[in-house]
C-alpha cells in the first residue's frame, strides 16, 4: 500500500516492507479478535464510548 | 527468532513520533465527528418529535396498535438523541445538519482535508515524517476486521462480478497505457510502472512492478506523483459527483473500486459516501489487489523481460507479490458465514464480532490521518511529461467507463447483504 521509510534496509532483514506490513496487519487483527473473544463488552465500550470525550 | 527479528521494522524508533501524531490527530477528529453526529441527530429529532407525537396520538385513537408501537419506538429513539445533546424540542442545530449531512463533512473529510492543510501550510517537523508514512498501512488491520460484515454469498456475487469487472478494467488500462507509452517513446521502466499503477492499486503496483521493469527512482516519483494527484482529485470529487448523479451506495462502491487506484484513497472515498458503499468497495478491492502479482507477470511478458539477477518466474512472482493480509479478511468472512454462536455477528450485542465491529473505524481513522498528513503538494508537482498525460488520461477514461458500467449493472447486484 505504501513505501516504508526504511525500505532500503528491508532486503537485509529478509521480508519486503509490504510483506512486513501484511504480517503486522494479520497479527493486529488476530489480537483484536482474541481480546474481543475474551471481553467483548469491554472492547465495545472502549471503542464506542470511552474514547469519545466530546 | 529470525522471523520475529525480520518483523521488527529497521529503525522503528524513528517512526514512533509520526505514528503517535496520526493517532492523536485521528483521536481529535473522531471526537469532533462524534460531536457533529450527535448535534445532527438532535436537530433531526427536534424537528421530528412533534410530528411523531401527533401521529402516535392519532394511531392510538384509531386503535392501530402495530403502527402505534412502531411510532412509539421511533419517538423514543429521537427523544434519546435529543437528550444526548442536552436539548429541547424546538431547539435548532442547523449548522450541524449542514456540516454533517449536506456538506458531508465527516471524519474522512476532516482527516484528509485537515491533514493536507497541516502538511502543506504549517508543515510537519522532520521528526514526524517517517512515521506519518507508516500511519497509512494501518488501514490494513481495519480491512481484515471488516471481514465480519460479509458472508460467502456476498463474496461470490459481489466479489465474483467485481473481480471480472476489475480484471477487464485493470488489464485493459495497463495494456493501453504501456502501449501508448511505448509508442510515445517513454522509457520501458516508466511506461511499465505507469501501466501497472493506473491499472491496479496505484502505489502498491508501482512498487511491486518497479524492480522487474527496471524503473529508476525518478520514474517511480513520476508515476507515484501521477497516481496520487489523480487519486487525491477523485477522492474529493467522486463522492459529490456520486451524490449529484444520485447513484446508490453499492453503485458508488463499485465505481470507486474501479476508478480510484490507491487502496487507502478508495476506502476513504467509499467510507465518505456511506457504510454500504464502503462494504462493496472493500470487497471488490480485496478481489482487485489479488491481481497485483498477475499485473507484474503481465509487465514481464509485455516488455519481454528476462531476469537480470532476479527470479521473475510466474510462481515466484505470484508468491512474492501476493498481499497476504487479505487472507485474514477471507478467514473472518468464513467464520462469519458459519454463524458460530461463540463469535456471533456484527449486530448481535455482547458477541466478539459485535465488539470487533466497533474497532475497525479507529484503524481507518489513523490510516486516513496518515494519508492526509502524507499528501505533499511538492511530491505531486513531480508528476509531469508525456507519461503523466497518458497515465491521467487512462485513469480518467477508466473512471468514465466505470461509471457507465455501474449504471448498467444497477443497484442490486453489487449490494453487500452481510446475511441480512
Amino acid at each position: 500500500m505504501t513505501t516504508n521509510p526504511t525500505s532500503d534496509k528491508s532486503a537485509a532483514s529478509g521480508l519486503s516492507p509490504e510483506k512486513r506490513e501484511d504480517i503486522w496487519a494479520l497479527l493486529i487483527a488476530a489480537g483484536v479478535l482474541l481480546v474481543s473473544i475474551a471481553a467483548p463488552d469491554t472492547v465495545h465500550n472502549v471503542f464506542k464510548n470511552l474514547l469519545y470525550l466530546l | 527468532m529470525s522471523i520475529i527479528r525480520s518483523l521488527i521494522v529497521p529503525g522503528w524508533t524513528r517512526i514512533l513520533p509520526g505514528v503517535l501524531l496520526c493517532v492523536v490527530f485521528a483521536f481529535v477528529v473522531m471526537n469532533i465527528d462524534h460531536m457533529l453526529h450527535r448535534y445532527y441527530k438532535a436537530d433531526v429529532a427536534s424537528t421530528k418529535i412533534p410530528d411523531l407525537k401527533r401521529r402516535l396520538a392519532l394511531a392510538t385513537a384509531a386503535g392501530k396498535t402495530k403502527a402505534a408501537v412502531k411510532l412509539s419506538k421511533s419517538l423514543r429513539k429521537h427523544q434519546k438523541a435529543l437528550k444526548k445533546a442536552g436539548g429541547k424540542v424546538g431547539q435548532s442545530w442547523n449548522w450541524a445538519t449542514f456540516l454533517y449531512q449536506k456538506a458531508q463533512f465527516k471524519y474522512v473529510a476532516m482527516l484528509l482535508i485537515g491533514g493536507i492543510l497541516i502538511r502543506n501550510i504549517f508543515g510537519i517537523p522532520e521528526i514526524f515524517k517517517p512515521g506519518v508514512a507508516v500511519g497509512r498501512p494501518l488501514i490494513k488491520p481495519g480491512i481484515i476486521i471488516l471481514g465480519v460484515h460479509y458472508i460467502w454469498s456476498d463474496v461470490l456475487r459481489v466479489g465474483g462480478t467485481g473481480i471480472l469487472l476489475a480484471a477487464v478494467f485493470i488489464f485493459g488500462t495497463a495494456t493501453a497505457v504501456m502501449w501508448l507509452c511505448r509508442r510515445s517513446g517513454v522509457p520501458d521502466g516508466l511506461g511499465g510502472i505507469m501501466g501497472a499503477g493506473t491499472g491496479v492499486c496505484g502505489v502498491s503496483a508501482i512498487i511491486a512492478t518497479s524492480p522487474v521493469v527496471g524503473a529508476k527512482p525518478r520514474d517511480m516519483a513520476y508515476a507515484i506523483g501521477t497516481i496520487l494527484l489523480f487519486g487525491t482529485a477523485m477522492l474529493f470529487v467522486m463522492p459529490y459527483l456520486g451524490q449529484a448523479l444520485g447513484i446508490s451506495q453499492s453503485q458508488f462502491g463499485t465505481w470507486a473500486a474501479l476508478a480510484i487506484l490507491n487502496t487507502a484513497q478508495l476506502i476513504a472515498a467509499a467510507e465518505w459516501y456511506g457504510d454500504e458503499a464502503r462494504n462493496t468497495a472493500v470487497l471488490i478491492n480485496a478481489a482487485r489487489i489479488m491481481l497485483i502479482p498477475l499485473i507484474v507477470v503481465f509487465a514481464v511478458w509485455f516488455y519481454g523481460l528476462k531476469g537480470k539477477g532476479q527470479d521473475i518466474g510466474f510462481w515466484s512472482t505470484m508468491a512474492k507479490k501476493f498481499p497476504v493480509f487479505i487472507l485474514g479478511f477471507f478467514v473472518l468472512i468464513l467464520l462469519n458465514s458459519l454463524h458460530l454462536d461463540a463469535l456471533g455477528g456484527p449486530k448481535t450485542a455482547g458477541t466478539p464480532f459485535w465488539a470487533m465491529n466497533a474497532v475497525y473505524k479507529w484503524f481507518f481513522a489513523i490510516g486516513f490521518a496518515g494519508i492526509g498528513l502524507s499528501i505533499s503538494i511538492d511530491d505531486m508537482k513531480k508528476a509531469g511529461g508525456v507519461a503523466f498525460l497518458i497515465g491521467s488520461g487512462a485513469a480518467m477514461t477508466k473512471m468514465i467507463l466505470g461509471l457507465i458500467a455501474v449504471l448498467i449493472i444497477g443497484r442490486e447486484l453489487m449490494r453487500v447483504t452481510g446475511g441480512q
Side-chain angles (χ1 to χ4, degrees):
Chain A
M1 207 176 304
T2 184
T3 49
N4 189 304
T6 51
S7 59
D8 50 330
K9 296 174 189 171
S10 63
S13 60
L15 280 177
S16 69
E18 286 76 34
K19 279 279 184 288
R20 188 185 292 120
E21 271 174 19
D22 287 3
I23 294 169
W24 271 113
L26 285 166
L27 291 174
I28 293 169
V32 172
L33 174 63
L34 289 178
V35 177
S36 298
I37 290 170
D41 289 314
T42 311
V43 172
H44 190 270
N45 190 37
V46 167
F47 287 94
K48 278 279 182 190
N49 300 315
L50 282 181
L51 283 173
Y52 294 111
L53 304 179
L54 288 179
Chain B
M1 272 310 280
S2 67
I3 294 174
I4 295 170
R5 241 197 328 266
S6 62
L7 277 177
I8 298 168
V9 180
W12 63 274
T13 46
R14 285 197 307 133
I15 64 171
L16 272 185
V19 173
L20 280 175
L21 178 70
C22 291
V23 171
V24 171
F25 185 34
F27 174 74
V28 171
V29 166
M30 286 291 273
N31 271 276
I32 296 171
D33 176 88
H34 190 249
M35 185 192 70
L36 266 182
H37 183 248
R38 190 170 62 234
Y39 285 119
Y40 157 65
K41 286 278 180 193
D43 194 42
V44 173
S46 172
T47 323
K48 281 196 170 175
I49 285 174
D51 180 51
L52 280 170
K53 278 186 176 168
R54 186 183 54 79
R55 283 165 59 199
L56 179 62
L58 286 173
T60 313
K64 293 177 182 169
T65 325
K66 217 172 170 181
V69 169
K70 208 175 158 188
L71 285 165
S72 175
K73 200 176 159 190
S74 178
L75 181 64
R76 273 201 305 276
K77 197 180 88 182
H78 282 106
Q79 282 171 333
K80 203 175 149 191
L82 198 58
K83 198 179 164 194
K84 268 189 186 172
K88 288 184 286 197
V89 174
Q91 223 173 325
S92 171
W93 291 272
N94 285 337
W95 56 273
T97 303
F98 173 77
L99 284 173
Y100 199 82
Q101 187 62 21
K102 295 202 172 114
Q104 290 286 303
F105 200 62
K106 297 178 180 175
Y107 81 102
V108 187
M110 284 186 254
L111 286 164
L112 296 170
I113 298 170
I116 293 171
L117 291 178
I118 292 169
R119 169 87 191 223
N120 294 284
I121 294 177
F122 306 108
I124 295 179
E126 282 302 320
I127 190 172
F128 293 116
K129 282 185 181 166
V132 160
V134 178
R136 187 159 59 174
L138 279 170
I139 286 176
K140 285 181 179 177
I143 294 175
I144 298 173
I145 294 168
L146 208 63
V148 303
H149 279 244
Y150 307 91
I151 55 168
W152 273 108
S153 57
D154 290 329
V155 177
L156 296 176
R157 184 170 43 81
V158 180
T161 315
I163 203 163
L164 269 177
L165 275 174
V168 170
F169 274 78
I170 286 165
F171 289 101
T173 316
T175 311
V177 171
M178 288 177 188
W179 184 77
L180 283 170
C181 281
R182 182 178 269 180
R183 292 263 306 178
S184 314
V186 174
D188 282 359
L190 180 54
I193 55 174
M194 192 65 92
T198 47
V200 59
C201 236
V203 181
S204 308
I206 290 171
I207 293 165
T209 318
S210 55
V212 296
V213 295
K216 296 180 185 128
R218 210 185 70 149
D219 295 339
M220 285 181 72
Y222 274 152
I224 291 174
T226 304
I227 300 301
L228 289 182
L229 187 62
F230 185 81
T232 307
M234 287 307 103
L235 172 56
F236 291 104
V237 170
M238 280 181 63
Y240 292 105
L241 204 56
Q243 262 192 335
L245 294 168
I247 63 173
S248 74
Q249 292 272 326
S250 61
Q251 282 176 310
F252 184 84
T254 312
W255 183 34
L258 293 176
I260 298 181
L261 306 160
N262 181 274
T263 298
Q265 289 176 335
L266 146 69
I267 293 171
E271 172 84 11
W272 195 342
Y273 204 70
D275 287 354
E276 275 189 49
R278 179 210 56 218
N279 285 348
T280 301
V282 167
L283 193 50
I284 297 176
N285 184 58
R288 183 179 80 157
I289 60 173
M290 288 194 296
L291 296 172
I292 290 179
L294 283 176
I295 200 86
V296 179
V297 173
F298 178 75
V300 170
W301 170 80
F302 187 89
Y303 289 108
L305 297 169
K306 305 268 185 294
K308 291 172 193 163
Q310 55 180 324
D311 187 3
I312 51 175
F314 181 81
W315 290 112
S316 66
T317 306
M318 293 293 282
K320 261 189 266 174
K321 309 296 181 188
F322 187 81
V324 284
F325 83 96
I326 214 65
L327 296 177
F329 173 76
F330 286 116
V331 167
L332 283 180
I333 294 176
L334 177 67
L335 291 173
N336 193 37
S337 306
L338 293 172
H339 301 294
L340 301 171
D341 286 342
L343 295 173
K347 287 181 182 165
T348 317
T351 63
F353 278 1
W354 166 77
M356 288 178 84
N357 194 33
V359 181
Y360 74 88
K361 224 168 214 176
W362 285 92
F363 283 110
F364 281 175
I366 299 167
F368 296 157
I371 303 177
L373 293 169
S374 304
I375 293 176
S376 150
I377 307 291
D378 287 338
D379 285 347
M380 288 186 187
K381 282 181 189 161
K382 286 174 186 159
V386 181
F388 168 72
L389 289 176
I390 295 171
S392 46
M396 185 64 83
T397 310
K398 193 160 79 158
M399 191 192 88
I400 295 164
L401 292 177
L403 179 61
I404 295 168
V406 297
L407 290 174
I408 294 168
I409 287 169
R411 290 164 179 260
E412 284 306 308
L413 183 65
M414 306 306 274
R415 205 166 73 84
V416 170
T417 64
Q420 305 298 312

